[in-house]
Amino acid sequence: MKLMEEQLWPLLKQHLQQTLTYWSVFFSFGLCISFLGPTILDLRCQTGATVEQITWVFFSQQFFLLVGSCVGGLFKKTLLASLLALFFCTLMISLLFAAIPFCHHIVPLFVTMAITGGAMGVIDTIANYQLVNLYQKNSAVFLQSLHFFIGLGALISPLVADPFLTDDNCTLETNRTPNYHHVQMNTSEHEAARLDQISTHGVPIEGEAISSVSYAFWIMALINLLTVPSSPGSAFSCCSPANLRGRPPSFFLIHALGGAILFLTDGIMGSYAGFVYTYAVSPPLLMGHKAAGCLDSIFWASITIGRLGFIFMSYRFTAPRLLTFSLVGAILVQFMLMIFYTSWVFLFIGTCVLGLCISSMFPSMLAFTEDILDYKGCATTVLVTSASTGEMLLQVVFGSVIQREGSFTFLLCCTTASVTALCCFLLFLYVQHLHRSSRAGKPTSATMPGLLDQADRQTSQESLL
């Protein structure tokens, strides 16, 4: 607490308005990122779409989130440009959410979610970059706080939607087969096959839609509007030849491995939030829609609580320790989920623990990487883009595997990705050691005067900070 009183609180007071702006827009980001999952059935009814078509709506949001993350670098050069970009992106998200209830076909919904994803990507890059640039070596705590607001928004989002969601069937009665929850477990082989088909593709959607989810989207648009900043950057300019000349191989490996770790961990987070509902309502669990819908809220609630806890842990423990704890904990709980795959109770417990473990991966990894690379800003752009790419691609890959092989592969895919992320992190620690060793033994001015002068100027700036 002494560090917080003597150093962090004065910093926060000094940059309070700007920091609150970044926190508020990340709350908006969180509202958007978890809203599609619980409303998928109602959106299918509204648009008359199949599960495969709705999956492409998810993809459009994630793909353009990646595009927005890259484009966001265009606005980061000046504070004014950053704040204006945040203002317009947050306002655009509110307007698009209000328009979703009027999308009665899959194409306008696809376009709407694509634009929303682009705005989210711009917010993601700018807020992370500006906060790191603002606090530099003290950025770890404030990044944890920033990503806490994503979790808070993602937690509130399903809770707002829940009262307006359809329980089992959002259409008027048809002559189709009754809901599969009323089918007995000792059904015939033909009925069991039909049960599996319904659990894979969802409940019937034929007939006139009777969903009330429009109210949820309008409420969300209003909440999001309240987060629009009141205050009125090249994407990869840091990767220009002038900035890369003379860099050691470890410099590039740190970017690549850091990006790979967040590619996997953010991909796991997005995939788990997106598919845990489908996994829960499929055999062998066959949970009810309402109960399964709570899993997404529990997952985001645990992420929110975890990030709140890691705010305090980040100034007591080093980033490598926090990251190791997060990755090992995520792997262990996913192995337990596979062992107790038929237990409803353990699915709820495991979802909660997994959210706690994986909650701090992005802010901790970003702060750690920028600290290694002396806060040049390039790492933020690369890591944000890599995380967005992972969240987009792994959902598509996992969804394809689940569709082809069955729901149990959902847990296997997540566990495999977690183990791979841990291996990448161990290699990252080794490369980080090599990088710092190479800097400690930097060349003399006779051999590389330009590089030495640049390093000396950097050391002087750090001592002033």
Side-chain angles (χ1 to χ4, degrees), residues 98-162:
I100 287 176
F102 302 103
C103 298
H104 296 292
H105 191 271
I106 192 66
V107 174
L109 181 63
F110 181 95
V111 173
T112 301
M113 295 312 301
I115 300 173
T116 303
M120 291 164 60
V122 172
I123 290 173
D124 196 11
T125 295
I126 290 177
N128 278 292
Y129 173 81
Q130 291 294 349
L131 203 65
V132 169
N133 188 53
L134 195 64
Y135 290 105
Q136 299 210 356
K137 286 191 175 295
N138 296 297
S139 61
V141 172
F142 297 100
L143 280 171
Q144 295 286 357
S145 304
L146 181 71
H147 287 265
F148 162 78
F149 282 96
I150 283 187
L152 183 62
L155 169 63
I156 291 175
S157 188
L159 297 178
V160 171
D162 184 71

Side-chain angles (χ1 to χ4, degrees), residues 267-323:
I268 293 167
M269 188 183 300
S271 299
Y272 196 91
F275 293 116
V276 67
Y277 172 88
T278 303
Y279 171 74
V281 299
S282 302
L285 290 171
L286 293 175
M287 291 175 60
H289 286 276
K290 283 289 186 181
C294 293
L295 286 166
D296 197 56
S297 296
I298 289 173
F299 183 63
W300 285 110
S302 61
I303 288 175
T304 305
I305 295 170
R307 283 173 175 166
L308 184 62
F310 276 104
I311 292 173
F312 300 97
M313 293 176 66
S314 61
Y315 63 82
R316 292 182 178 272
F317 302 98
T318 62
R321 287 187 179 182
L322 294 178
L323 289 164

